[in-house]
């Protein structure tokens, strides 16, 4: 075939080229080339004819064998005639079908078994899904080629399957409706029982009996908790359904998600299921080494358990551990899945892990996870590379300053990861390898963490989009054995925490303790000298073990709003009321206008211009370089000669005054000397690349710095005392707490109190430092919803794009709202002007979009664009005056409950599929829909209104909801498309 292809493509081409080049030569040569060309064509025709005849003969031989199956397949599955894998493997199984029965012992808070099945031949004839598991590369547990989750088959005809799964006999057209309904019910039941062809309604097998004879343990079990129904397969697959009421028929359950666990190398692809009244486990045993295949001999009692999937219903509070109760508090209708994988001390920087994989497509549209540089809404439009999941400033894979550990979907599915997960890695629809370079090189395409201007110069904003790159269609949640600079799918990611370890995470277990079973330490026994000597000699052979644990809670709710509300209900709540000064008037910052060249004269001039032009105001924030040096909590006496007089003047003009601060300190300052002396800084025993002194690192400014150790209580008090001193001496009202991301820490850092995961630094920055002050803001967050402070969106670019420009503003706002940070402070109107300022139209449209959001902040002065823009901005601020009371009430309420102030459109219509993909509209409360213009030179836009009657915010025209506005809505340069609910 290769030879034929080469000849058919290359030889005619060469002949044609030769023919053209020889046209000017003599007739004999021209005729010879023509003959050669004709002969080549004839030869190729003969060869193709022989190949067609050979193919026809082969198909004739196979025709009789395939005729029966093909005709049946066409009836069942359409023209292609290919059945799904769960029907293709039916011939290998013992077909025993019984009606599912409910366990009589089913109680609230216990494992409730609806149906179970036994399959003794499962090891001899594993499913195609399991067979693919065996081919996972045993040298790397990353398993980016983990088998896909089978799609749900929904196009079977009513009479396709009889009771035993065979094709039913033909029936007359006069069959009654009752028989037709029975066939339909049976068809749906077969689809639900997709992991096994048979169900045996036996009683629950206890731990002891399962251990003694694992081959008779259940292969598929269905569990209940509230409205959730979880179907668990012994090969590690789970499917979560939503039941509308307690005794609802299985055929009417709604599928919300399909997931699986990645079985580690060396383990059998099919595990054993053991359970008691409150807990169920799937244990994956060490694979037999005979001939590299699994043995048919039952030796499970002698095999080592390599990984265990433990499942507990959320309602079984008595079976949950203390930390499980903390992060799942108030979660209902779902299950906790704890997947533990044994790792070894030998693999110091390996990518060993415990991984839970969820199919993206079967769960509908996805939302949550945190902020990204390119913020897609919904997340299905992104290809998020598998990488570390902690707050970054422009992370190497696109993750940004605000991180969340939960996701919700349009099917009502919610998945919440344990916030204390060690070395947490996440990928959503991660891009597949598509070049030889990515496939063949050890590190694929390398991603690097950059700081400062380098982020602005990135050629591509991350994550990549699903339009530009093919993704794997999975949400991958991984607890790893460490951070390493190795290939994550198509890409490798170099970031500051590579090589960092935690004393809390790397717990080494004695050799005689089974990490899958009882983890309690044994009683110490005295060791004889001879035994001790033998133990020392065999030290290298006795490799100590440790574990990776990936814990998630999976919920099944009626719709996406109920799922989101339940997750928000489980999060830590603020304990103090929010300062609403940011609501009552816009904040004015010196950053975009003056950058680091700010001084007292410029601040006072800025304030006077705002006052003269009669702009609304609330706060004057003095940004970077007000201090004499970074970390020195004292004003630069040259730039600010009379601080007290400046602050008093600003107060008289109606401004509150805040200062920009970070947890960084430069060398040679008074603060640095005092901090070093008392051990107040984060330490390191190695050099950060590019620095000559341990403990120093780079950030967005060129000056190397050290970081305050926030785990050290004395260091926190020292820093807080310095901030409070500024308030006492000068009358400062509050602070803007910048940074706080763990990417700004030295390589292999060490803190006084060891941290289990790096996001603890971010949490301390918000809950122990910022929360101390009534008027404050932060930009980073992770599991810090109880701080109750304003959380700013990261620095944005002055552009129209989704890549951190205007079109990313609404997706960022909505993501903040559904992940527990409703007090969202959008970044400066018009962007930060890093690579040039915004145009007039971009500035006006940005201000219009920001008008209905929780807070506004300016830095680029509107009057610098001219009189027309200045008047337009004043008109926008007058519109906001009508909303202040509403926004203030919503802010106070949300600071106590975490309920969103600004909501996605699906919040008002959670079962309306039209609302799931709308990323340029949002709701203020429950009665205002806003549809700002976010495209350049657009004067008419499409608007979708939820069910009800809606009136123009600044007009009288009425529109019916539940549909798109016909022919769009006119939106002139000074118009904000907004609508108020009438009914």
């Amino acid at each position: 075939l290769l030879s034929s292809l080469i000849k058919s493509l290359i030889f005619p081409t060469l002949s044609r080229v030769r023919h053209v080049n020889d046209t000017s030569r003599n007739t004999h040569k021209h005729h010879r080339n023509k003959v050669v060309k004709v002969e080549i064509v004839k030869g190729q025709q003969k060869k193709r004819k022989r190949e067609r005849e050979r193919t026809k003969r082969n198909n004739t031989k196979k025709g009789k064998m395939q005729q029966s199956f093909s005709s049946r397949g066409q009836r069942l599955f359409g023209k292609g005639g290919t059945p799904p894998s769960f029907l293709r493997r039916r011939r290998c199984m013992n077909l025993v079908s019984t009606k599912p029965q409910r366990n009589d012992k089913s109680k609230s808070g216990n494992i409730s078994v609806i149906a179970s099945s036994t399959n003794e031949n499962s090891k001899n004839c594993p499913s195609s899904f399991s067979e693919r598991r065996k081919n996972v590369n045993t040298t790397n547990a990353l398993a980016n080629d983990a088998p896909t989750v089978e799609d749900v088959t929904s196009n079977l005809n009513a009479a396709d399957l009889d009771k035993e799964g065979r094709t039913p006999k033909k029936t007359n057209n006069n069959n009654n409706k009752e028989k037709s309904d029975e066939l339909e019910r049976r068809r749906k039941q077969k689809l639900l029982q997709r992991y096994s062809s048979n169900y045996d309604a036996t009683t629950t097998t206890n731990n002891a009996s399962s251990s003694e004879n694992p081959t008779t343990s259940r292969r598929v079990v269905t569990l209940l908790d509230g409205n959730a129904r979880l179907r668990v397969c012994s090969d590690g697959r789970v499917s979560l359904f939503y039941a509308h009421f307690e005794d609802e028929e299985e055929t009417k359950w709604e599928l919300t998600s399909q997931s699986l666990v990645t079985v580690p190398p060396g383990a059998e692809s099919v595990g054993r299921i053991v359970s008691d009244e409150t807990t169920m486990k799937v244990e994956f045993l060490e694979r037999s080494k005979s001939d590299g295949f699994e043995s048919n001999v039952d030796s499970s009692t002698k095999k080592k358990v390599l990984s265990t999937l433990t499942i507990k219903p959320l309602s079984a509070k008595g079976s949950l551990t203390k930390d499980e109760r903390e992060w799942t508090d108030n979660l209902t209708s779902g299950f906790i899945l704890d997947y533990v994988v044994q790792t070894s001390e030998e693999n110091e920087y390996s990518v060993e892990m415990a991984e839970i994989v969820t199919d993206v497509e079967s769960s509908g549209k996805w939302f949550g996870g945190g902020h990204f540089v390119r913020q897609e809404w919904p997340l299905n439009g992104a290809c998020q590379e598998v990488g570390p999941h902690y707050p970054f400033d422009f992370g190497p894979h696109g993750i940004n300053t605000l991180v969340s550990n939960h996701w919700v979907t349009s099917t009502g599915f919610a998945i919440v990861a344990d916030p204390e997960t060690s070395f947490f890695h996440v990928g959503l629809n991660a891009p597949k390898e598509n070049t030889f370079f990515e496939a063949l090189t050890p590190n694929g395409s390398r991603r690097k963490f950059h700081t400062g201007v380098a982020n602005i110069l990135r050629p591509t904003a991350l994550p990549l989009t699903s339009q530009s790159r093919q993704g794997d269609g999975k949400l991958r949640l991984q607890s790893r054995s460490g951070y390493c600079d190795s290939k994550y799918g198509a890409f490798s990611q170099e970031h500051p925490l590579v090589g960092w370890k935690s004393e809390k995470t790397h717990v080494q277990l004695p050799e005689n303790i089974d990490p899958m079973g009882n983890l309690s330490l044994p009683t110490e026994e005295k060791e004889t000298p001879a035994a001790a000597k033998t133990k020392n000699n065999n030290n290298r052979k006795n490799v100590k073990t440790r574990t990776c644990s990936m814990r998630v809670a999976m919920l099944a709710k009626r719709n996406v709003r109920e799922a989101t509300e339940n997750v928000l209900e489980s999060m830590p709540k603020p304990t103090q009321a929010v300062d609403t000064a940011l609501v009552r008037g816009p904040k004015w910052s010196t950053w975009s206008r003056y950058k680091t060249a700010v001084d007292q004269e410029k601040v006072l001039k800025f304030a006077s211009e705002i006052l003269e032009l009669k702009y609304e105001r609330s706060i004057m924030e003095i940004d970077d370089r007000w201090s004499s040096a970074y970390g020195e909590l004292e004003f630069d006496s040259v730039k600010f000669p009379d601080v007290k007089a400046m602050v008093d003047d600003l107060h008289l003009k109606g401004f509150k005054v805040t200062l920009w601060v970070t947890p960084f300190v430069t060398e040679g300052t008074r603060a640095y000397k005092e901090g070093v002396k008392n051990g107040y800084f984060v330490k390191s025993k190695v050099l950060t690349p590019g620095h000559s002194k341990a403990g120093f690192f780079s950030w967005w400014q060129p000056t190397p710095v050290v970081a305050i150790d926030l785990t050290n209580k004395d260091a926190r008090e020292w820093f807080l005392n310095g901030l409070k001193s500024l308030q006492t001496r000068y009358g400062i009202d509050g602070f803007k707490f910048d940074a706080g991301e763990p990417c700004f820490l030295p390589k292999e850092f060490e803190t006084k109190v060891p941290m289990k995961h790096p996001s603890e630094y971010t949490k301390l920055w918000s809950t122990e430092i910022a929360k101390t002050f009534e008027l404050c803001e932060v930009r980073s967050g992770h599991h810090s919803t109880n701080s109750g402070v304003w959380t700013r969106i990261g620095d944005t670019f002055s552009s129209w794009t989704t890549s951190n420009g205007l079109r990313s503003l609404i997706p960022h706002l909505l993501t903040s709202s559904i992940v527990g940070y409703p007090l969202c402070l959008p970044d400066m109107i018009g962007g930060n002007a890093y690579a040039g300022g915004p145009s007039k139209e971009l500035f006006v449209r940005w201000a219009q979009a920001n008008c209905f959001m929780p807070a506004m902040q300016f830095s680029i002065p509107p009057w610098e664009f001219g009189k027309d823009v200045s008047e337009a901005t004043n008109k926008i601020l007058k519109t906001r005056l009508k909303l202040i009371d509403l926004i203030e009430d919503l802010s106070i309420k949300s600071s106590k409950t975490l309920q969103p102030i600004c909501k996605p459109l699906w919040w008002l219509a959670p079962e309306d599929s039209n609302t799931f993909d709308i990323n340029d509209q949002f709701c203020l409360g429950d009665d205002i829909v806003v549809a700002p213009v976010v495209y350049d030179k657009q004067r008419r836009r499409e608007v979708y209104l939820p069910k009800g009657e809606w009136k123009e915010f600044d007009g009288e025209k009425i529109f019916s909801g539940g549909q798109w506005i016909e022919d769009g809505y006119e939106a002139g340069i000074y118009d904000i498309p907004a609508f108020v609910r009438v009914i």
Side-chain angles (χ1 to χ4, degrees):
L1 290 176
L2 181 61
S3 174
S4 174
L5 180 63
I6 293 174
K7 289 179 180 179
S8 62
L9 293 177
I10 299 178
F11 285 7
T13 303
L14 294 177
S15 299
R16 286 194 295 271
V17 172
R18 190 182 303 119
H19 175 73
V20 172
N21 291 337
D22 290 346
T23 53
S24 61
R25 299 187 182 186
N26 57 58
T27 305
H28 175 70
K29 290 184 179 181
H30 174 76
H31 176 71
R32 182 180 61 190
N33 291 335
K34 188 173 182 180
V35 171
V36 171
K37 179 179 178 182
V38 171
E39 289 178 351
I40 290 175
V41 172
K42 288 183 178 180
Q44 295 302 318
Q45 290 175 346
K46 291 179 180 179
K47 191 159 189 175
R48 284 194 292 269
K49 183 177 180 180
R50 289 196 301 269
E51 290 175 352
R52 286 196 299 269
E53 292 175 351
R54 188 182 303 112
T55 303
K56 186 176 181 180
R57 288 196 301 271
N58 292 337
N59 291 339
T60 303
K61 293 179 182 179
K62 297 178 181 179
K64 294 182 179 180
M65 299 173 59
Q66 297 180 345
Q67 183 176 3
S68 176
F69 180 80
S70 176
S71 60
R72 175 197 173 197
Q74 289 183 10
R75 291 196 304 273
L76 286 173
F77 310 107
K79 187 175 180 181
T82 304
S85 58
F86 76 94
L87 288 180
R88 288 203 301 270
R89 64 175 179 266
R90 190 181 299 277
R91 72 189 77 170
C92 303
M93 297 182 176
N94 295 332
L95 303 179
V96 180
S97 179
T98 61
K99 183 178 179 181
Q101 298 179 5
R102 191 177 304 279
N103 192 335
D104 294 336
K105 297 182 179 181
S106 174
K107 298 179 181 179
S108 177
N110 295 343
I111 286 287
S112 302
V113 182
I114 289 183
S116 59
S117 67
T118 305
N119 192 345
E120 296 183 6
N121 294 335
S122 62
K123 284 190 177 183
N124 297 331
C125 183
S127 67
S128 59
F129 187 94
S130 300
E131 288 173 345
R132 289 197 297 272
R133 282 184 175 278
K134 295 182 183 180
N135 296 326
V136 175
N137 185 358
T138 58
T139 62
N140 188 344
L142 180 57
N144 272 325
D145 294 326
T148 59
V149 182
E150 296 174 353
D151 296 330
V152 175
T153 307
S154 59
N155 58 347
L156 297 179
N157 295 324
D160 285 341
L161 299 174
D162 65 357
K163 187 174 182 179
E164 295 184 358
R166 298 188 295 267
T167 306
K169 297 180 181 180
K170 292 184 179 180
T171 57
N172 296 328
N173 295 330
N174 298 328
N175 285 344
N176 56 41
K177 187 176 183 300
E178 182 178 349
K179 189 171 183 179
S180 177
D181 290 344
E182 174 63 19
L183 289 173
E184 176 68 12
R185 186 195 65 78
R186 192 178 297 143
R187 176 188 70 85
K188 290 182 178 180
Q189 181 176 315
K190 290 290 182 182
L191 294 180
L192 286 173
Q193 299 169 358
R194 57 197 302 277
Y195 295 137
S196 178
S197 300
N198 57 322
Y199 276 73
D200 182 13
T202 57
T203 58
T204 304
T205 307
N206 58 28
N207 284 325
S209 61
S210 296
S211 298
E212 292 172 1
N213 193 5
T215 59
T216 62
S217 61
R218 292 182 301 274
R219 178 174 173 77
V220 177
V221 178
T222 302
L223 312 176
L224 306 89
D225 188 71
N227 294 98
R229 306 290 184 264
L230 187 71
R231 180 146 291 149
V232 185
C233 183
S234 59
D235 63 2
R237 291 176 295 173
V238 295
S239 287
L240 187 64
F241 299 86
Y242 175 80
H244 298 83
F245 51 88
E246 182 178 357
D247 297 323
E248 185 179 31
E249 189 177 353
E250 291 184 50
T251 56
K252 296 181 180 179
W253 293 351
E254 295 182 10
L255 178 69
T256 64
S257 69
Q258 300 176 94
S259 305
L260 58 86
V261 298
T262 300
V263 179
E268 293 181 351
S269 59
V270 178
R272 64 183 180 188
I273 298 180
V274 294
S275 63
D276 56 25
E277 291 186 356
T278 59
T279 304
M280 196 201 77
K281 293 183 179 181
V282 181
E283 297 178 339
F284 294 92
L285 308 179
E286 188 176 16
R287 186 185 302 164
S288 300
K289 297 181 180 179
S290 56
D291 300 327
F293 296 97
E294 296 178 11
S295 175
N296 293 330
V297 181
D298 179 21
S299 58
S300 60
T301 55
K302 301 178 182 178
K303 294 179 180 178
K304 186 178 181 181
V305 178
L306 296 186
S307 65
T308 302
L309 173 62
T310 303
I311 302 174
K312 302 176 184 178
L314 286 167
S315 59
K317 300 298 182 183
S319 66
L320 306 184
T321 62
K322 181 180 178 181
D323 60 320
E324 285 175 339
R325 288 194 297 271
E326 287 179 355
W327 66 272
T328 63
D329 186 34
N330 294 322
L331 292 180
T332 60
S333 188
F335 302 86
I336 294 178
L337 281 69
D338 185 2
Y339 186 49
V340 180
V341 176
Q342 178 179 319
T343 63
S344 70
E345 189 180 340
E346 288 180 324
N347 301 316
E348 198 65 32
Y349 292 98
S350 71
V351 287
E352 292 181 308
M353 63 172 187
E355 181 184 51
I356 297 177
V357 183
T358 301
D359 183 52
V360 170
E361 185 177 359
S362 62
S363 295
K365 304 299 182 179
W366 288 74
F367 311 93
H371 284 180
F372 294 88
V373 178
R374 182 197 296 274
Q375 189 69 50
E376 297 288 340
W377 181 277
L379 294 172
N380 302 60
C383 284
Q384 178 190 342
E385 299 158 21
V386 179
H389 198 67
Y390 62 83
F392 275 94
D393 180 29
F394 294 87
H397 53 311
I399 196 75
N400 217 356
T401 56
L402 183 65
V403 171
S404 169
N405 279 27
H406 78 263
W407 294 259
V408 295
T409 75
S410 58
T411 62
F413 171 65
I415 183 167
V416 184
D418 181 0
E420 301 291 328
T421 300
S422 302
F423 304 106
F424 191 31
H425 285 67
V426 174
L428 195 149
N429 195 31
K432 295 182 178 180
E433 297 170 337
N434 69 351
T435 65
F436 285 108
F437 176 76
E438 291 174 358
L440 299 180
T441 57
N443 289 312
S445 295
R446 183 178 290 277
R447 301 292 196 199
K448 292 187 178 182
F449 172 69
H450 297 292
T451 59
V453 178
N455 288 314
I456 306 169
L457 302 178
R458 284 179 182 269
T460 304
L462 298 175
L464 301 170
T465 65
S466 57
Q467 295 178 345
S468 63
R469 192 67 180 258
Q470 182 183 6
D472 64 3
K474 308 288 187 296
L475 171 69
R476 298 182 179 275
L477 304 181
Q478 303 171 352
S479 171
R480 295 198 174 187
S481 58
Y483 293 119
C484 57
D485 183 14
S486 63
K487 192 174 181 182
Y488 300 165
F491 299 91
S492 64
Q493 290 164 14
E494 182 181 309
H495 58 95
L497 265 64
V498 170
W500 175 77
K501 304 183 189 70
S502 169
E503 296 178 15
K504 287 186 176 181
T505 301
H506 291 91
V507 179
Q508 297 177 343
L509 305 175
E511 295 87 350
N512 57 345
I513 298 297
D514 181 4
M516 302 296 112
N518 183 11
L519 295 179
S520 59
L521 294 175
T523 56
E524 295 185 1
E525 296 182 2
K526 290 186 177 181
E527 198 171 42
T528 62
K533 184 177 180 180
T534 304
K535 181 177 180 180
N536 291 333
N537 291 336
N538 297 330
N539 191 33
R540 291 186 178 181
K541 297 180 181 180
N542 296 330
V543 178
K544 295 181 180 180
T545 59
R546 58 194 179 194
T547 61
C548 292
S549 174
M550 185 67 243
R551 291 192 298 185
V552 300
M554 292 185 176
L555 315 181
K557 298 292 181 178
R558 183 184 300 274
N559 52 52
V560 62
R561 174 173 175 171
E562 287 190 7
T564 306
E565 287 179 322
N566 191 204
V567 175
L568 294 176
E569 188 180 358
S570 71
M571 292 182 170
K573 306 297 189 299
T575 57
Q576 61 187 27
V578 63
D579 189 306
T580 57
L582 280 169
V583 174
R584 292 190 292 271
K587 168 192 165 186
W588 296 84
S589 172
T590 64
W591 173 247
S592 292
R593 187 178 190 185
Y594 300 118
K595 295 297 190 293
T596 58
V598 64
D599 58 33
Q600 181 172 326
E601 181 181 354
K602 292 175 181 176
V603 171
L604 293 175
K605 179 185 177 183
F606 196 8
S608 297
E609 290 173 332
I610 296 168
L611 197 65
E612 290 171 7
L613 295 171
K614 299 181 180 179
Y615 282 95
E616 297 295 325
R617 56 202 176 277
S618 63
I619 295 170
M620 174 63 73
E621 183 254 321
I622 304 174
D623 213 279
D624 196 352
R625 290 311 300 269
W626 57 268
S627 60
S628 55
Y630 293 118
E632 201 73 276
L633 299 181
E634 184 56 71
F635 278 87
D636 187 329
S637 59
V638 176
K639 300 172 71 174
F640 294 87
D642 193 344
V643 178
K644 188 67 169 65
M646 177 190 70
V647 174
D648 290 343
D649 191 9
L650 291 172
H651 284 163
L652 288 174
K653 288 181 170 65
F655 292 94
K656 289 188 175 183
V657 183
T658 61
L659 298 178
W660 171 89
V661 293
T662 68
F664 308 143
V665 180
T666 56
E667 189 176 15
T669 61
R670 179 190 58 80
Y672 176 77
K673 295 174 182 178
E674 185 178 352
V676 169
K677 179 181 177 181
N678 294 286
Y680 291 159
F681 301 134
V682 177
K683 298 179 176 60
S684 177
K685 295 178 181 178
V686 300
L687 295 178
T688 301
H691 297 273
S692 59
K693 199 169 184 178
F696 284 84
F697 55 90
S698 300
W699 57 308
W700 60 85
Q701 294 292 5
T703 309
V705 291
V706 294
I708 299 171
D709 185 353
L710 299 180
T711 69
N712 185 339
K713 184 178 179 181
D714 294 336
R716 294 199 302 266
E717 291 180 356
W718 171 68
F719 183 62
L720 288 171
N721 289 337
L723 297 177
K724 292 175 181 177
S725 175
L726 289 169
Q727 292 184 307
T728 303
R729 288 180 289 147
Y730 304 121
I732 302 299
D733 298 289
F735 298 94
K736 171 184 177 178
F737 293 95
D738 211 351
E741 301 88 358
C743 60
F744 295 122
L745 291 174
K747 184 177 178 61
E748 298 184 25
F749 67 87
E750 298 176 2
T751 53
K752 182 175 181 179
V753 179
M755 296 191 296
K756 185 175 182 180
H757 60 89
S759 293
E760 288 183 25
Y761 192 86
T762 302
K763 184 177 180 180
L764 290 169
W765 183 238
S766 180
T767 59
E768 298 295 331
I769 302 297
K771 185 181 177 182
T772 307
F773 302 92
E774 184 177 350
L775 180 59
C776 65
E777 63 177 90
V778 297
R779 79 167 187 184
S780 57
H782 189 191
H783 199 52
S784 55
T785 55
N786 59 332
S787 63
V789 300
W790 289 92
T791 304
R792 176 173 63 90
I793 296 173
D795 292 13
T796 51
F797 301 153
S798 299
S799 70
W800 291 91
T801 66
T802 309
S803 303
N804 210 39
L806 174 58
R807 286 199 290 278
S808 71
L809 181 61
I810 295 175
H812 276 132
L813 169 74
L814 298 180
T815 300
S816 294
S817 297
I818 68 169
V819 300
Y821 297 87
L823 298 173
C824 176
L825 173 60
D827 198 34
M828 299 157 192
I829 291 171
N832 283 264
Y834 289 133
S839 64
K840 287 185 176 182
E841 185 167 347
L842 175 59
F843 185 89
V844 171
R845 292 303 195 188
W846 204 307
Q848 290 173 347
N850 206 160
C851 177
F852 288 78
M853 294 181 182
M856 300 179 72
Q857 66 168 320
F858 289 95
S859 186
I860 302 173
W863 55 86
E864 286 190 351
F865 294 97
K867 185 178 179 181
D868 53 342
V869 174
S870 182
E871 291 177 352
T873 305
N874 262 319
K875 180 183 177 182
I876 292 168
L877 293 176
K878 288 179 181 178
T879 300
R880 184 172 176 84
L881 287 175
K882 305 175 185 178
L883 304 166
I884 286 178
D885 291 340
L886 172 63
I887 297 176
E888 191 168 10
D889 291 342
L890 291 172
S891 300
I892 294 172
K893 179 182 177 181
S894 67
S895 67
K896 300 175 182 177
T897 64
L898 301 183
Q899 289 291 307
I901 301 171
C902 294
K903 307 172 181 180
L905 220 59
W906 50 251
W907 196 274
L908 304 188
E911 297 178 12
D912 185 348
S913 59
N914 289 306
T915 63
F916 298 146
D917 291 300
I918 297 176
N919 60 6
D920 57 359
Q921 294 183 219
F922 65 94
C923 306
L924 175 59
D926 293 327
D927 299 316
I928 297 178
V929 171
V930 189
V933 174
V934 293
Y935 287 88
D936 193 13
K937 296 180 176 60
Q938 187 179 38
R939 298 296 181 266
R940 181 177 291 273
R941 63 153 296 165
E942 295 180 337
V943 176
Y944 186 84
L945 296 174
K947 189 176 180 180
E949 296 294 322
W950 300 85
K951 184 180 76 69
E952 292 174 311
F953 186 82
D954 286 324
E956 299 299 329
K957 193 172 182 180
I958 303 294
F959 299 91
S960 295
Q963 60 185 355
W964 295 90
I965 293 179
E966 188 175 357
D967 298 328
Y969 184 83
E970 187 174 352
I973 186 62
Y974 300 118
D975 298 329
I976 311 175
F979 308 85
V980 182
R981 185 193 297 274
V982 178
I983 300 177

